[in-house]
Amino acid sequence: MNQTTNTASPCATCPKAAPMHGLERRGAQADGERFVVALAGNPNTGKSTVFNALTGLKQHTGNWPGKTVGKAEGFFGYGGDTYRIVDLPGTYSLASTSEDEEIARDFILFGKPDVTVMVADATRLERNMNLILQVLQITDRAVLCVNLLDEAERNHIHIDLNALSRRLGIPVAGCSARSGKGIDRLLEMMHEVATGAYVCRPHRATNLPPATADHIRVLTEAVARAHPNLSNAEWIAFRLVEQDPSVRQRFGNDELNALAENIHLQISNNFHDQWMEDIYAQAEAICRDVVTQGNRRGRLPMDVRLDRILTHRVWGFPIMVALLSGVFWLTIVGSNYPSSWLSDLLVGLIHPALRGLFVGFGAPAWVTGLFVDGVYLSTAWVVSVMLPPMAIFFPLFTLLEDFGYLPRVAFNLDELFRRAGAHGKQALTMSMGFGCNAAGVVSTRIIDSTRERLIAIITNNFSLCNGRWPTQILLATLFVGAAVPVRYSGLVSLVAVMGVVFLGVTLMFGSSWVLSRTLLRGEVSTFHLELPPYRPPRFWSTIYTSIIDRTLIVLWRALVFAAPAGAVIWLCCNLTVGGVSIAAHLIHWLSTPGWIMGLNGVILLAYILAIPANEIVMPTVLMLTLLVLGQSDAGAAGVLMEGGDAETKQILLAGGWNLLTAVCLMLFCLMHHPCSTTIYTIYKETHSAKWTAVATFLPLVLGIIVTSIVAFIWRMVAG
């Protein structure tokens, strides 16, 4: 067998956690940067890991394509100079017109970075070489970072980095960015290229058909005459022939554009294919010379065996359902105890103490009620109910992500989404929505098509977010599970909750199908989904990232909206008109539509008041129910409350609840308007009041229709 040929790698003899001498991580802010670094590469090659290693930031990394959306920036110091590094979106090509490709290409072309660092996957170098050769056609100041060398070694793949550097005409550093190996040498190479100490001579050979090459040569010479300082005239000629709008605007003129159009007519429409075939042929030739594979099949046998099971036409889907159900079950069961502890602390201990403190200082009753019983108590409920499930769900979800399973979910669901007229990547945004719908909306940025991204945004609310899980679990336990013998109650409750979850997925497919044939007509776009290798999850890093970058950020957004909601709830219950509270008036007006939907006025008012946070719906329902029953004294009016299961059920039964009420509320909990955090996020992502309104009212209208039909049929059957 061939011996390891990447012994020339700068990191081959480094210790696992090699210190990065001279590196000063400066995070997101610094002054007076001297050099600008562009970080480019295919999706899922470890770009964001390199970015985090250099800047000290914690940009989220994941084992699935498309994690970087837009440009992330950070700063670091090295060799006495300050660098600004820009992490560009992962892309497979610079020759197309998707948003990610335009962002990456335009920054390298027009941003004129002092050095472009291309991050490649050592286990799939030939696949990455297509982008590398395209970048080298644009810039002559580049460094190649061959990342994931540790995985390549496990895969019996050996790369001669020195030979690769000679073939490409640029410095090449071998790295394992997760452990920090090779980052020292990468920094040296970046510094040498940025300062001009290393002069790159990038590989730019072309082997187009003779007739095409002659036409391109004429246009290239014309571009060089018009722009004598350009070092990439041939690439500009390529893009002028393909009538690239931004290149025509920046580099074209009447003469060049006319010449390019004439050449385009003579070459015909297959120029792009000729160009790409040439690049792929060069990539294959280069990798054939520098890469040695002990395992000629190119992938770890374990990857192959796992994929045959996890993406199997028969077994892939039930395994996916079982895994996601396991995540939901662990979230449900595991969050009960910490939620109870937080409730005892924040509501049982701190709330009375804080109230006593206000009273002790002589604060007016309305001030104590508004700020302690209203603002504080609502935020306390949100923390106690929302934090534990998020702190469990997000790490579990991220572990599956790091392992590489999420792209398999997209693969399994791609055909269903295609038939619904949606994008296959919507499977990933749907999964993210089960944690938080606002996060799911943001994650739709990985979908290139504007039409299909809108479909994903509008339908994401059908993913049951963690703020709605407590309501589902409570109702399933108190009413649905209680309707069967005790020994079956737990199983029936779980089946009821999971039934609502799968109903939501069904509604997502159905509404996507309707939208794609009405408001958002269009062709379903194809997409390239690379199945990454399976990797051992980084447990502690995952816990940190999930809690800091996901859980606490989402929790903070919820608190920002929950605090004023608490004030509104208190005021609504304590301000009177004609001797009757505003809340009582609203409940009376909403009673009739509530009855038609199988609910009541209390529930509908609770959803109106609790729009900032789904987590405070049930405490609001209980508080309003006591208000209607006349069991809430003047001091307790507007005070959110929640008791044990037995106490809660007793209050609800006294308020006229039955099994129909619980079933209809479980359905309405799935199909109602998004929370204000999600609505605000939708508007920020779409910049459209129209689509924000569609996303808000579509599930609400469905909820009204479905619950009304269920209530009608139930009453007809039950008499």
Side-chain angles (χ1 to χ4, degrees):
M1 187 176 74
N2 290 309
Q3 297 298 314
T4 300
T5 57
N6 62 350
T7 54
S9 166
C11 69
T13 59
C14 299
K16 182 174 182 179
M20 289 166 237
H21 302 294
L23 172 64
E24 299 176 21
R25 299 183 178 94
R26 297 182 179 175
Q29 294 183 346
D31 296 323
E33 73 270 8
R34 181 182 176 190
F35 299 116
V36 176
V37 179
L39 200 59
N42 285 177
N44 205 52
T45 56
K47 286 190 306 89
S48 296
T49 304
V50 174
F51 177 86
N52 292 341
L54 294 176
T55 63
L57 294 173
K58 294 296 181 182
Q59 169 152 280
H60 179 59
T61 60
N63 191 16
W64 54 282
K67 286 303 298 177
T68 303
V69 182
K71 300 192 297 289
E73 296 189 1
F75 296 85
F76 66 90
Y78 183 78
D81 296 313
T82 299
Y83 292 73
R84 176 166 65 96
I85 183 168
V86 181
D87 186 10
L88 300 173
T91 179
Y92 294 99
S93 172
L94 299 180
S96 298
T97 56
S98 74
E99 182 180 359
D100 288 350
E101 291 165 351
E102 287 184 355
I103 290 173
R105 183 204 62 194
D106 288 352
F107 187 81
I108 297 172
L109 183 61
F110 303 130
K112 296 181 179 179
D114 297 288
V115 56
T116 298
V117 176
M118 299 170 290
V119 182
D121 182 350
T123 66
R124 289 162 172 77
L125 186 60
E126 183 176 338
R127 186 179 301 174
N128 294 181
M129 191 61 64
N130 172 35
L131 179 67
I132 294 168
L133 294 177
Q134 289 186 52
V135 171
L136 294 182
Q137 290 179 330
I138 297 178
T139 179
D140 54 3
R141 301 170 69 88
V143 173
L144 175 60
C145 170
V146 180
N147 193 27
L148 303 173
L149 277 183
D150 51 347
E151 291 190 15
E153 290 176 3
R154 288 196 300 270
N155 216 357
H156 306 292
I157 298 174
H158 310 293
I159 302 172
D160 189 334
L161 298 178
N162 285 336
L164 182 58
S165 177
R166 290 192 298 270
R167 290 295 302 267
L168 297 179
I170 60 172
V172 177
C175 296
S176 296
R178 274 189 172 192
S179 62
K181 292 175 63 176
I183 298 295
D184 266 346
R185 183 58 180 151
L186 176 63
L187 283 166
E188 292 177 17
M189 292 178 173
M190 291 165 55
H191 185 72
E192 290 174 359
V193 172
T195 58
Y198 187 110
V199 179
C200 299
R201 294 177 176 81
H203 173 90
R204 286 180 182 167
T206 56
N207 188 28
L208 296 170
T212 301
D214 291 341
H215 288 303
I216 294 297
R217 189 179 304 111
V218 172
L219 182 56
T220 300
E221 292 171 355
V223 172
R225 288 193 300 270
H227 303 280
N229 295 324
L230 280 180
S231 62
N232 54 3
E234 185 177 56
W235 186 86
I236 298 297
F238 288 165
R239 298 308 293 162
L240 287 174
V241 171
E242 295 202 312
Q243 301 179 342
D244 184 305
S246 58
V247 173
R248 284 167 63 94
Q249 180 180 1
R250 184 68 176 267
F251 299 102
N253 55 40
D254 292 341
E255 178 185 351
L256 290 177
N257 291 340
L259 179 58
E261 290 174 7
N262 183 50
I263 292 174
H264 178 78
L265 291 174
Q266 296 183 54
I267 294 177
S268 75
N269 292 325
N270 67 346
F271 170 70
H272 184 81
D273 293 338
Q274 295 177 13
W275 182 17
M276 290 300 103
E277 286 174 6
D278 178 37
I279 288 178
Y280 280 117
Q282 292 184 54
E284 181 183 3
I286 291 171
C287 291
R288 188 168 55 243
D289 290 344
V290 302
V291 179
T292 303
Q293 287 189 239
N295 177 9
R296 291 294 177 183
R297 293 168 62 187
R299 293 182 66 189
L300 277 170
M302 180 60 70
D303 281 6
V304 177
R305 289 198 296 269
L306 283 175
D307 275 343
R308 286 177 178 173
I309 298 172
L310 297 179
T311 61
H312 192 273
R313 297 177 68 90
V314 175
W315 302 112
F317 196 83
I319 291 174
M320 176 189 69
V321 171
L323 279 174
L324 295 180
S325 298
V327 170
F328 297 145
W329 182 80
L330 288 173
T331 302
I332 294 169
V333 175
S335 63
N336 286 336
Y337 294 108
S339 286
S340 176
W341 299 333
L342 282 173
S343 176
D344 291 342
L345 174 64
L346 299 176
V347 180
L349 294 178
I350 296 181
H351 174 249
L354 192 60
R355 206 173 198 287
L357 187 64
F358 269 66
V359 173
F361 277 106
W366 72 267
V367 171
T368 303
L370 180 64
F371 290 100
V372 179
D373 298 334
V375 174
Y376 169 77
L377 200 54
S378 66
T379 56
W381 277 120
V382 169
V383 172
S384 62
V385 175
M386 189 174 180
L387 179 58
M390 283 199 306
I392 295 172
F393 175 84
F394 281 138
L396 291 174
F397 189 82
T398 309
L399 286 172
L400 288 177
E401 181 182 311
D402 280 356
F403 179 61
Y405 184 66
L406 287 191
R408 276 78 186 178
V409 173
F411 179 87
N412 289 333
L413 294 176
D414 176 54
E415 178 63 18
L416 292 177
F417 278 107
R418 187 191 67 78
R419 292 185 180 184
H423 199 287
K425 287 183 181 178
Q426 190 173 333
L428 301 176
T429 67
M430 175 193 71
S431 300
M432 185 68 74
F434 283 118
C436 172
N437 292 131
V441 169
V442 172
S443 70
T444 61
R445 295 176 186 176
I446 65 174
I447 299 175
D448 295 329
S449 165
T450 302
R451 182 189 74 86
E452 290 163 332
R453 187 183 176 212
L454 281 172
I455 291 176
I457 289 173
I458 292 170
T459 61
N460 190 264
N461 195 59
F462 293 119
S463 292
L464 196 69
C465 70
N466 60 51
R468 291 179 278 175
W469 284 100
T471 300
Q472 295 286 346
I473 297 166
L474 179 67
L475 296 176
T477 302
L478 295 186
F479 290 93
V480 181
V484 300
V486 175
R487 62 179 178 275
Y488 301 121
S489 60
L491 177 61
V492 170
S493 299
L494 178 61
V495 170
V497 174
M498 295 310 301
V500 172
V501 172
F502 291 119
L503 174 62
V505 175
T506 303
L507 288 170
M508 181 177 293
F509 284 122
S511 55
S512 296
W513 186 86
V514 172
L515 287 169
S516 68
R517 285 157 177 80
T518 53
L519 296 177
L520 292 166
R521 292 188 184 93
E523 294 294 325
V524 179
S525 61
T526 59
F527 76 102
H528 181 101
L529 177 64
E530 180 178 355
L531 295 181
Y534 294 100
R535 294 170 182 158
R538 298 162 294 172
F539 183 79
W540 293 114
S541 174
T542 294
I543 297 298
Y544 175 86
T545 301
S546 299
I547 292 177
I548 301 299
D549 288 356
R550 288 183 173 178
T551 303
L552 294 185
I553 289 176
V554 173
L555 180 64
W556 170 250
R557 288 179 182 174
L559 292 177
V560 168
F561 287 99
V568 170
I569 292 171
W570 187 88
L571 289 171
C572 194
C573 292
N574 286 273
L575 295 181
T576 61
V577 176
V580 180
S581 69
I582 295 175
H585 283 294
L586 293 174
I587 290 170
H588 176 71
W589 295 336
L590 293 170
S591 293
T592 299
W595 182 87
I596 294 173
M597 297 168 59
L599 306 173
N600 56 44
V602 167
I603 295 171
L604 295 187
L605 179 58
Y607 270 99
I608 294 173
L609 296 177
I611 187 173
N614 287 302
E615 294 77 13
I616 59 176
V617 166
M618 285 310 298
T620 305
V621 166
L622 293 174
M623 178 267 296
L624 293 175
T625 300
L626 290 177
L627 184 69
V628 170
L629 294 173
Q631 298 179 18
S632 177
D633 58 34
V639 180
L640 297 179
M641 58 83 63
E642 189 168 78
D645 285 355
E647 182 183 359
T648 297
K649 187 172 183 179
Q650 183 179 0
I651 294 172
L652 296 178
L653 290 174
W657 282 51
N658 53 33
L659 182 58
L660 171 62
T661 312
V663 170
C664 287
L665 181 51
M666 291 180 72
L667 294 173
F668 191 69
C669 180
L670 171 68
M671 295 173 279
H672 73 278
H673 51 265
C675 69
S676 55
T677 306
T678 303
I679 295 173
Y680 175 67
T681 304
I682 292 171
Y683 182 76
K684 283 183 62 179
E685 293 297 316
T686 62
H687 305 288
S688 168
K690 170 189 173 182
W691 295 118
T692 303
V694 171
T696 301
F697 291 107
L698 173 64
L700 179 60
V701 171
L702 276 175
I704 294 172
I705 294 173
V706 170
T707 53
S708 299
I709 292 174
V710 169
F712 177 77
I713 295 175
W714 188 294
R715 289 172 180 137
M716 288 287 291
V717 173

